[in-house]
Amino acid sequence: MMEEAEEARRGRGAVLDLALREDLDLFSLDDLADRIGFLEAEITRCRAQIARKAAGREAADALFRKPED
């Protein structure tokens, strides 16, 4: 049971860090192409999250902005 709790506590980005350290020599051409596809999809997902967070931040800033004189 203790191992499960430790497994759940991985830091943010730990899985990505492991993926970045993998030896690419072990991958086939198809595997590498698939990997690029997954990474591009993750970049798209991250950019969408950035846009959502920026929109939320802008809305909060507008709500709490002091009225101009």
Side-chain angles (χ1 to χ4, degrees):
M1 258 235 249
M2 189 61 140
E3 291 177 22
E4 292 176 18
E6 289 178 13
E7 191 69 25
R9 291 186 192 178
R10 279 192 248 188
R12 280 184 259 155
V15 174
L16 180 59
D17 187 49
L18 289 173
L20 294 175
R21 294 176 189 212
E22 285 183 302
D23 183 0
L24 297 180
D25 288 337
L26 303 175
F27 288 81
S28 69
L29 290 174
D30 288 339
D31 290 340
L32 290 168
D34 288 345
R35 184 179 178 100
I36 289 170
F38 293 135
L39 292 170
E40 288 173 339
E42 183 63 7
I43 289 167
T44 299
R45 190 173 80 98
C46 288
R47 287 187 173 142
Q49 185 66 21
I50 288 169
R52 281 191 294 275
K53 287 183 179 249
R57 180 65 173 263
E58 289 172 14
D61 288 346
L63 181 64
F64 294 108
R65 186 174 297 136
K66 293 180 182 179
E68 295 182 27
D69 293 323

